[in-house]
Amino acid sequence: MSKVVVVKNAGIRPVKKLAVDQYRLLLETGLGALFDRKPASAALSTMFPGGVVGMKTNCLTRKLNSTPKSLTDAISEMLEDSGIKANNVVVWERTNRELADAGFELNASSFGRRCMGTDTNGLGYGRTFYNSGEVNSLISRILTDVIDRNINIPVLKDHSIAGLSGGLKNMYGAIHNPNKYHIPNCNPHAAHISNLEPIRKKNRLTIIDAIRVQYNSGPGFDSRYLEYFGGILLSTDPVAVDRVGLEILEHCRLMNKLPALEQVGRPVKYLKSADAIGLGMERFEEIDLQVLAVDENGAARPGELF
Amino acid sequence: MERRLFLRCLGCGATATLLAQTELLPRALGGVQNACAFDYTKKLSSVEAWYYVKREGGGIECRLCPRRCVVTDLERGYCGVRETRGDIYYTLVYGLPCSLNIDPIEKKPLYHFYPGTTAFSLATAGCNANCKFCQNWEISQTRPEQTDNIDLPPQTIVDICNHRKVPSIAYTYSEPIIFFEYMYDTAKLGHEKGIRSVMITGGYIEKEPLKDLLQHLDAVKVDLKAIREQYYKDIVNAELKPVLDALVEIKRTGVWLEIVYLVVPTLNDSEEEFVELARWIKTNLGTDTPVHFSKFYPQYLLKNLPPTPTGTLEMARNICRAEGLEYVYLGNVPGHPAESTYCPKCNEVVIARRGYTILQVNLNNCRCSNCNNEIPGLF
Ligand code: SF4
């Protein structure tokens, strides 16, 4: 059974974004629950026993609604606590410009945590085409050559074509030709992109940021459609975690009197396709969902999804 | 006149080969007064795109090609070179080609269009299809930030052509439809300064932009990839019908048209398809439309198929000629007699070719020197 942990912030509601410490509290609880091990650094060292760990962000919307630097900083700290050297932590995205615009400090040197786009000099996309279904793509050399394992860290939001932008959709940012794979509703392409061999093999963990959910008019930022959910989602199953994310997205739409995604022509069928090719679990009832609420002191108790 | 043509040919072959082999072109062109320094740039253009409508509730619909992409904020269309920002649609490749060369016009191939002349040839990244056999996929199937681009506004292209006495500009290599605005402005400016323009295209374009563009073009070569819709769906990732409509429209306007059909073993090489193709061309475009059957070589996503046997190309040619098509050529088979143009009336060679080189021209005022039969085209 696929396990998904949702950790909600039951402490002080942040004005805008969570700080590094606040994310750390959520991550400590979430990772501990996901791997049934405490402290989280012990869980992480089992999952990432060395080598170079990547963190694929989603920086499409600059500082407005991209993967927050405070979240990747919190994860980096924890990875370092678990024994990973700072220089073996790589925050990455398609381009350096996207990372810089989202507030990240670029660093491709051999000192300190690294942060770089695929367009960094000497990187780019590999020369081997990988195939799954109709998808034929070159893959970012950050994923194929630089890192050994990857943590996928998207932001939960609506997407004008895919319906849901979560973990699977975020891997469009790892291939050279994402524009070829959007119609219809990114199905089955979103499933097949994550099924490309290097992506499937290296993606070990998905952590979706769902502090503020943009439930409509995505993937660009639109302040009219933001809902405070206040949580993060964690799983080693890339499909199950998206499926729970979809539940949250649809709930936010319902609360704001918007029709379900299917009714507006954006059914999220690619999760079923992903399940069909064995990438993960799409059936909500078969997902082992654990919801926890964490107060400002880090004390956790069972919580409700909504 | 024919002798001058012959000499021009030798010159162009040498120039193009030298430039291609030594990659001297940027430097060679850089010597032109007022030309830019040809430094590669990573910037993308922000020129508002043409042919799109804003949608109620956000986003735009692109009406440049039949794909009609609906594109919301910060997303791109299928071609990867057009992006919505807010509710404005932008072309990201205006004035930013990634591939340049001076080619013989025969390389396009255009065999009935000023033979032996050269064309300043350029392309940007991007394409509105995804042919599994694409030989230029490294530029056509990428986004402009993945290619090395050169800052080259239309005025500079026209200046270079005038300076180097290159009579034509060819929009080619990738798919020029997706850099429409850049091509249109360059072709228009070129015409004002006496430089011709030719488009080498898959022909997957909407009617309105095509009509507008044809006013500034002198010739079009269309890659008709097959005569079956299923092939377009499976191998090209586009549709056949709009391409056929575009062919008819080009012919109707009188802009010079030639067709290339890449023969891919087992996928579009049956006798029935060649008969269908010949009959469609005969009925809709006329028997005087040149058709080039080109040899496929395995590459990109079709590496599992062998090269097209020359015998298959010859079969295609024989079928088309039997159906009445008058100018049927074979491409990618250097030295084959079917590279040359024969007078359909007396069967004499009117233009002898080997590869991209013109060996002999037997034309008199666009007529066969032997029997005075008119040969269609621009000579
Ligand atoms: S030109 Fe590009 S964006 Fe426009 S419809 Fe065609 S593929 Fe889509």
Side-chain angles (χ1 to χ4, degrees):
Chain A
M1 206 171 196
S2 295
K3 188 170 182 178
V4 176
V5 175
V6 176
V7 193
K8 296 182 79 173
N9 172 36
I12 302 158
R13 191 169 160 149
V15 181
K16 234 178 164 188
K17 283 177 183 162
L18 297 193
V20 178
D21 289 351
Q22 290 172 301
Y23 271 121
R24 268 203 81 145
L25 292 181
L26 299 185
L27 288 163
E28 291 282 355
T29 303
L31 289 166
L34 185 64
F35 297 111
D36 277 329
R37 277 191 80 175
K38 286 209 168 122
S41 56
L44 278 176
S45 62
T46 316
M47 198 70 191
F48 303 102
V52 181
V53 181
M55 280 187 256
K56 169 68 178 72
T57 57
N58 183 324
C59 295
L60 186 72
T61 57
R62 301 180 284 278
K63 284 184 186 161
L64 298 168
N65 198 19
S66 295
T67 302
K69 183 172 180 298
S70 49
L71 174 55
T72 60
D73 280 351
I75 299 169
S76 301
E77 281 181 8
M78 294 168 80
L79 285 168
E80 287 168 37
D81 290 349
S82 77
I84 304 282
K85 289 194 183 83
N87 199 239
N88 284 344
V89 174
V90 181
V91 172
W92 64 285
E93 193 25 313
R94 294 183 300 191
T95 64
N96 284 315
R97 184 183 52 79
E98 284 174 306
L99 283 163
D101 288 352
F104 289 88
E105 286 155 34
L106 301 176
N107 176 24
S109 78
S110 41
F111 301 100
R113 291 173 196 161
R114 281 182 278 174
C115 177
M116 52 202 197
T118 297
D119 61 343
T120 299
N121 264 345
L123 289 174
Y125 296 86
R127 300 288 302 164
T128 307
F129 270 96
Y130 289 93
N131 163 260
S132 176
E134 288 170 18
V135 172
N136 287 287
S137 297
L138 305 176
I139 294 180
S140 166
R141 289 189 56 211
I142 296 179
L143 189 116
T144 56
D145 299 5
V146 176
I147 65 173
D148 297 304
R149 295 171 187 82
N150 188 54
I151 307 176
N152 189 10
I153 314 181
V155 175
L156 182 63
K157 58 184 169 179
D158 169 70
H159 189 281
S160 59
I161 298 169
L164 166 76
S165 179
L168 297 187
K169 182 69 185 63
N170 194 34
M171 294 321 288
Y172 275 65
I175 61 170
H176 86 292
N177 55 354
N179 42 299
K180 298 292 181 195
Y181 303 122
H182 278 80
I183 302 294
N185 302 118
C186 297
N187 181 48
H189 311 108
H192 285 288
I193 288 168
S194 280
N195 195 43
L196 296 172
E197 191 193 322
I199 299 180
R200 194 185 64 239
K201 276 192 172 159
K202 291 195 177 177
N203 260 347
R204 295 299 172 89
L205 177 64
T206 303
I207 301 177
I208 302 182
D209 183 69
I211 301 299
R212 293 187 310 166
V213 177
Q214 187 180 321
Y215 54 87
N216 196 37
S217 191
F221 180 71
D222 192 333
S223 60
R224 293 173 299 170
Y225 302 109
L226 285 178
E227 185 69 45
Y228 181 78
F229 176 76
I232 58 170
L233 289 63
L234 306 93
S235 184
T236 55
D237 181 328
V239 184
V241 72
D242 267 12
R243 179 63 187 84
V244 175
L246 176 61
E247 205 67 16
I248 296 167
L249 188 65
E250 292 283 29
H251 178 78
C252 294
R253 291 180 65 83
L254 193 69
M255 275 176 33
N256 288 281
K257 300 189 173 40
L258 284 179
L261 289 165
E262 177 139 25
Q263 284 171 266
V264 291
R266 289 180 276 146
V268 185
K269 290 186 181 164
Y270 66 78
L271 294 180
K272 269 201 168 56
S273 303
D275 189 326
I277 58 173
L279 204 60
M281 174 57 65
E282 183 272 338
R283 283 148 287 160
F284 192 71
E285 59 284 1
E286 291 183 38
I287 295 170
D288 172 14
L289 176 63
Q290 199 173 337
V291 184
L292 297 164
V294 176
D295 67 22
E296 63 261 45
N297 300 314
R301 56 178 163 76
E304 300 282 327
L305 194 56
F306 308 118
Chain B
M1 175 196 169
E2 279 68 44
R3 180 165 163 72
R4 273 208 320 273
L5 196 66
F6 179 59
L7 292 175
R8 260 198 333 237
C9 260
L10 289 178
C12 94
T15 309
T17 310
L18 175 73
L19 290 170
Q21 279 173 359
T22 58
E23 296 179 352
L24 277 176
L25 185 68
R27 247 191 295 157
L29 299 178
V32 178
Q33 234 182 2
N34 297 329
C36 61
F38 291 100
D39 286 334
Y40 290 120
T41 173
K42 278 288 170 197
K43 75 169 191 194
L44 303 179
S45 70
S46 293
V47 173
E48 185 171 358
W50 303 351
Y51 308 105
Y52 76 92
V53 291
K54 294 180 186 182
R55 283 163 54 97
E56 245 177 67
I60 64 92
E61 182 180 300
C62 178
R63 300 256 172 102
L64 178 54
C65 91
R67 206 171 279 283
R68 294 206 168 196
C69 297
V70 172
V71 190
T72 51
D73 190 23
L74 300 179
E75 291 283 310
R76 292 195 193 170
Y78 181 86
C79 52
V81 302
R82 297 170 169 267
E83 184 172 284
T84 302
R85 293 182 202 144
D87 60 353
I88 307 285
Y89 205 37
Y90 292 94
T91 163
L92 307 177
V93 290
Y94 188 100
L96 295 171
C98 61
S99 192
L100 296 176
N101 217 332
I102 294 177
D103 288 337
I105 200 78
E106 283 73 19
K107 193 177 172 186
K108 303 299 134 196
L110 283 167
Y111 278 10
H112 292 234
F113 185 81
Y114 301 103
T117 62
T118 51
F120 183 96
S121 306
L122 66 120
T124 73
C127 182
N128 60 351
N130 187 4
C131 303
K132 290 193 164 127
F133 47 74
C134 185
Q135 58 176 347
N136 290 327
W137 67 266
E138 280 162 289
I139 58 170
S140 70
Q141 299 306 321
T142 52
R143 291 149 69 99
E145 50 273 71
Q146 294 159 15
T147 52
D148 290 324
N149 307 318
I150 292 167
D151 203 340
L152 198 68
Q155 182 68 56
T156 311
I157 296 173
V158 172
D159 288 348
I160 291 167
C161 289
N162 275 323
H163 180 85
R164 288 191 60 112
K165 310 232 175 321
V166 179
S168 302
I169 303 164
Y171 313 94
T172 179
Y173 304 137
S174 56
E175 174 49 74
I177 290 165
I178 60 93
F179 58 89
F180 186 95
E181 300 81 359
Y182 181 35
M183 168 167 58
Y184 182 99
D185 284 353
T186 309
K188 187 163 179 277
L189 189 67
H191 267 187
E192 285 164 18
K193 308 282 179 189
I195 307 289
R196 299 183 283 261
S197 271
V198 304
M199 173 170 71
I200 312 306
T201 177
Y204 193 49
I205 184 170
E206 285 283 359
K207 213 169 197 154
E208 191 194 340
L210 177 62
K211 272 187 179 166
D212 293 345
L213 179 67
L214 286 169
Q215 297 170 37
H216 303 291
L217 292 183
D218 300 280
V220 180
K221 188 219 81 181
V222 174
D223 283 298
L224 178 59
K225 323 245 175 192
I227 197 69
R228 301 261 167 94
E229 204 60 80
Q230 194 62 38
Y231 181 94
Y232 267 80
K233 186 168 177 283
D234 297 343
I235 308 297
V236 179
N237 214 342
E239 302 158 278
L240 169 64
K241 176 72 171 52
V243 177
L244 297 180
D245 292 346
L247 283 164
V248 171
E249 179 61 21
I250 297 163
K251 194 74 181 185
R252 191 190 66 74
T253 57
V255 170
W256 182 251
L257 171 69
E258 300 193 22
I259 294 172
V260 165
Y261 184 106
L262 181 79
V263 182
V264 183
T266 72
L267 297 180
N268 66 356
D269 64 345
S270 68
E271 283 183 41
E272 299 78 47
E273 281 164 284
F274 295 137
V275 170
E276 245 174 82
L277 173 75
R279 289 183 183 166
W280 187 89
I281 291 172
K282 187 172 156 182
T283 309
N284 295 280
L285 307 175
T287 56
D288 62 351
T289 307
V291 179
H292 305 248
F293 287 104
S294 198
K295 192 182 191 102
F296 158 87
Y297 286 99
Q299 53 203 329
Y300 186 38
L301 304 175
L302 271 188
K303 288 194 175 138
N304 56 330
L305 294 175
T308 319
T310 304
T312 309
L313 299 173
E314 286 165 343
M315 173 185 77
R317 181 169 187 260
N318 292 340
I319 289 172
C320 285
R321 282 163 60 94
E323 290 291 333
L325 301 193
E326 293 167 307
Y327 303 96
V328 188
Y329 301 99
L330 300 193
N332 286 349
V333 273
H336 197 286
E339 287 185 311
S340 295
T341 304
Y342 298 85
C343 172
K345 199 169 158 202
C346 69
N347 271 330
E348 284 298 314
V349 174
V350 285
I351 304 175
R353 299 181 185 83
R354 188 183 171 90
Y356 303 139
T357 308
I358 304 284
L359 301 174
Q360 204 183 4
V361 178
N362 298 316
L363 277 170
N364 244 329
N365 292 325
C366 307
R367 289 177 180 277
C368 168
S369 314
N370 183 48
C371 71
N372 211 31
N373 180 39
E374 190 171 345
I375 306 296
L378 297 159
F379 298 103

